[in-house]
Amino acid sequence: MKFIIIGKNIEVTEGLREAVENKLGKLERYFTSDTEIHVTLSVQKGRQKIEVTIPVKGDIIRSEQESNDMYVSIDLVEEVIERQLRKYKNKLIARHQEGGNFKHEFYEGDEASEDDNEIKIVRTKRFGFKPMYPEDACVQMELLGHDFYVFCNAETDEVNVVYRRKNGSFGLIEPEFS
């Protein structure tokens, strides 16, 4: 595995680099040697944050965790990535797909039954929507107290999503058909 470690508002010391490589190095049993793991360490308002992105055959496995201590954040992100890998493994096996960056052992090891972590849709909602502008959709989202809102954009006549970003601002997701 190839680690690409970047620091924002923090110097990536040898100790931090070792901690990241040792903790995330445990995932080496799942990946081929040419797999890149992108790690960004940052400090914002006293919060120690780590973002890990692992591109795997058309998908990405990603997690970001933050705490008051960078070493705690590193531990947390490793646990989340490991859990995501188990889910991804179940998805690959269920669809009988080739897993590009994964070693053969990844498929064979069955740590525990992961039926509890299997994705299950338990409810379907249907609703009609009238065209509205993104700003109106943001107001509607606020009134409902939700973090996102699906609507038909009056300008483009396409289904869009507005969402609340972590910093309190709003984002808009528009479809892009290729």
Side-chain angles (χ1 to χ4, degrees):
M1 293 188 322
K2 299 174 187 167
F3 289 93
I4 300 169
I5 303 173
I6 300 170
K8 291 184 181 176
N9 300 330
I10 186 174
E11 180 185 340
V12 180
T13 64
E14 195 56 41
L16 282 174
R17 182 176 300 281
E18 273 185 34
V20 168
E21 290 179 0
N22 287 340
K23 202 63 163 159
L24 296 178
K26 295 176 184 177
L27 305 174
E28 189 170 31
R29 65 180 183 256
Y30 299 126
F31 295 104
T32 57
S33 59
D34 62 337
T35 302
E36 289 185 350
I37 296 183
H38 300 268
V39 179
T40 303
L41 307 174
S42 62
V43 177
Q44 295 174 342
K45 298 180 184 174
R47 301 294 291 172
Q48 313 282 318
K49 181 175 171 183
I50 180 172
E51 299 173 45
V52 177
T53 305
I54 307 170
V56 288
K57 194 178 181 202
D59 279 324
I60 59 168
I61 294 181
R62 183 179 190 287
S63 177
E64 68 180 56
Q65 296 295 318
E66 65 178 63
S67 69
N68 293 328
D69 181 344
M70 186 60 78
Y71 294 97
V72 171
S73 298
I74 293 168
D75 289 343
L76 292 171
V77 83
E78 188 267 336
E79 292 171 14
V80 171
I81 293 286
E82 186 107 41
R83 193 167 46 245
Q84 287 180 353
L85 283 170
R86 285 194 297 267
K87 286 182 182 180
Y88 190 74
K89 173 184 171 182
N90 289 340
K91 175 182 160 186
L92 288 177
I93 291 170
R95 293 187 179 173
H96 302 292
Q97 293 180 346
E98 162 73 20
N101 290 9
F102 292 105
K103 292 181 179 176
H104 183 69
E105 292 82 13
F106 176 70
Y107 298 106
E108 292 178 358
D110 196 19
E111 295 81 44
S113 176
E114 293 298 326
D115 292 338
D116 297 338
N117 290 334
E118 190 175 313
I119 296 173
K120 296 177 186 169
I121 297 174
V122 295
R123 184 173 180 196
T124 301
K125 286 187 173 184
R126 296 185 187 279
F127 58 94
F129 36 72
K130 59 181 182 185
M132 63 175 62
Y133 293 97
E135 294 78 12
D136 297 331
C138 290
V139 170
Q140 193 66 34
M141 176 181 69
E142 288 291 300
L143 291 172
L144 292 170
H146 290 171
D147 294 325
F148 69 93
Y149 187 77
V150 180
F151 68 102
C152 179
N153 191 324
E155 296 168 338
T156 62
D157 207 30
E158 293 177 330
V159 175
N160 289 182
V161 177
V162 290
Y163 62 97
R164 176 173 302 288
R165 296 171 47 100
K166 287 183 181 178
N167 66 6
S169 62
F170 298 100
L172 174 66
I173 299 174
E174 297 176 318
E176 182 176 272
F177 301 101
S178 48

